[in-house]
Amino acid sequence: METLLEIKDLSKSFDLHNLGKHIRAVSNVDIQIKEGEFVGITGKSGSGKSTILKCIYGTYRIQQGSIWYHSKKFGPINLAEATERELLYLRKHEIGYVSQFLNVMPRTTARQLVKQAILEMGDDHDLAEKETEKILAHFELDEELWDSYPTTFSGGEKLRLNIARAMVKKPRLLLLDEPTASLDHDSKLKVKLLIEQLMKEGTTMLGIFHDLEFMNHLCNQEYNMQNGIFSHSTSFTNS
Ligand SMILES: Nc1ncnc2c1ncn2[C@@H]1O[C@H](COP(=O)(O)OP(=O)(O)OP(=O)(O)O)[C@@H](O)[C@H]1O
Ligand SMILES: [Mg+2]
């Protein structure tokens, strides 16, 4: 299997100028993910897990290290040095991200949000509409909510919509930031089911999970974070 993502010696810190503070979020992180793998990140709150995903997605630019991603369009590309244009393309077509906290666009309905995500990839309207309804139904989002604004949704409803929007694109690489944290057991199972399905279709996953055990038989490798320091604690051989 080919390596899809290789993070080498990544460090990220924040300068809080107004407070005169320097915060080291993560240091010397190395991660290697092969095509088709499911890799889990665990670790306590504040240890830098979300920061890593944001560095990969290009939300944060890093001070040190490299993030090599094997793009379908660009070939090997160092995301740490990619241009905004390249990052935008990759977010539209190749790399998906489910954030830990949903921030939705105001005045966009649930249906529009998901449909937009599909249309970005160049599918036609009829297909996009069908796929949208299929995935909203999969996550059992009440039909009455489909044409409402998500700002008023409950936490779990927002989360399910957020996951639906990212998964419907069937990205090559999907970054998941605690996608099941605040969901009930039934909704968690639905997320897991879709993760399994996407993996069968070739999506590679990097996810932060509080309860990695729940995802256990899917997981190929686990990285554990302790205060910004990484250890590659487990390697599974189940696929
Ligand atoms: N934009 C930012 N500005 C300043 N500090 C930040 C920023 N983002 C993260 N940090 C700091 O970096 C550290 C790691 O944060 P991060 O969100 O990555 O932790 P986490 O492991 O995801 O925690 P949790 O499990 O609670 O989500 C924290 O000390 C946090 O305060
Ligand atoms: Mg986090």
Side-chain angles (χ1 to χ4, degrees), residues 94-141:
E94 299 192 23
I95 303 177
Y97 170 57
V98 176
S99 64
Q100 188 170 11
F101 308 103
L102 177 69
N103 40 1
V104 284
M105 307 288 286
R107 311 243 154 249
T108 312
T109 67
R111 187 196 296 271
Q112 285 167 342
L113 264 176
V114 177
K115 198 170 164 185
Q116 265 168 19
I118 304 173
L119 290 174
E120 279 179 355
M121 299 183 302
D123 287 353
D124 70 61
H125 277 270
D126 287 348
L127 186 68
E129 189 67 36
K130 262 191 216 138
E131 289 292 311
T132 298
E133 296 192 351
K134 203 167 116 191
I135 199 146
L136 289 175
H138 175 87
F139 282 112
E140 286 175 357
L141 199 71

Side-chain angles (χ1 to χ4, degrees), residues 42-199:
T42 53
K44 71 177 197 327
S45 180
S47 59
K49 304 181 299 296
S50 297
T51 299
I52 291 174
L53 295 198
K54 287 177 189 167
C55 291
I56 298 169
Y57 201 60
T59 317
Y60 292 160
R61 301 320 290 255
I62 64 177
Q63 286 96 0
Q64 181 192 309
S66 57
I67 305 172
W68 284 96
Y69 165 72
H70 205 284
S71 162
K72 192 166 179 191
K73 171 152 176 104
F74 304 114
I77 179 170
N78 182 359
L79 298 177
E81 286 170 0
T83 63
E84 276 306 310
R85 249 183 104 164
E86 286 165 334
L87 285 173
L88 277 176
Y89 177 90
L90 292 173
R91 287 172 189 164
K92 271 188 185 167
H93 299 274
E94 299 192 23
I95 303 177
Y97 170 57
V98 176
S99 64
Q100 188 170 11
F101 308 103
L102 177 69
N103 40 1
V104 284
M105 307 288 286
R107 311 243 154 249
T108 312
T109 67
R111 187 196 296 271
Q112 285 167 342
L113 264 176
V114 177
K115 198 170 164 185
Q116 265 168 19
I118 304 173
L119 290 174
E120 279 179 355
M121 299 183 302
D123 287 353
D124 70 61
H125 277 270
D126 287 348
L127 186 68
E129 189 67 36
K130 262 191 216 138
E131 289 292 311
T132 298
E133 296 192 351
K134 203 167 116 191
I135 199 146
L136 289 175
H138 175 87
F139 282 112
E140 286 175 357
L141 199 71
D142 198 337
E143 269 193 54
E144 282 181 9
L145 295 178
W146 292 6
D147 296 300
S148 315
Y149 300 126
T151 34
T152 58
F153 286 11
S154 76
E157 286 164 352
K158 278 185 193 164
L159 189 57
R160 280 181 282 147
L161 173 64
N162 206 21
I163 295 167
R165 180 175 58 162
M167 284 190 165
V168 81
K169 300 181 94 156
K170 301 183 174 139
R172 295 180 81 223
L173 174 65
L174 184 55
L175 310 168
L176 301 161
D177 197 341
E178 302 212 38
T180 53
S182 58
L183 295 179
D184 55 62
H185 188 74
D186 221 42
S187 304
K188 276 190 196 180
L189 281 177
K190 294 206 165 263
V191 174
K192 192 176 175 183
L193 198 72
L194 223 57
I195 288 179
E196 279 178 281
Q197 210 171 307
L198 284 181
M199 285 180 74

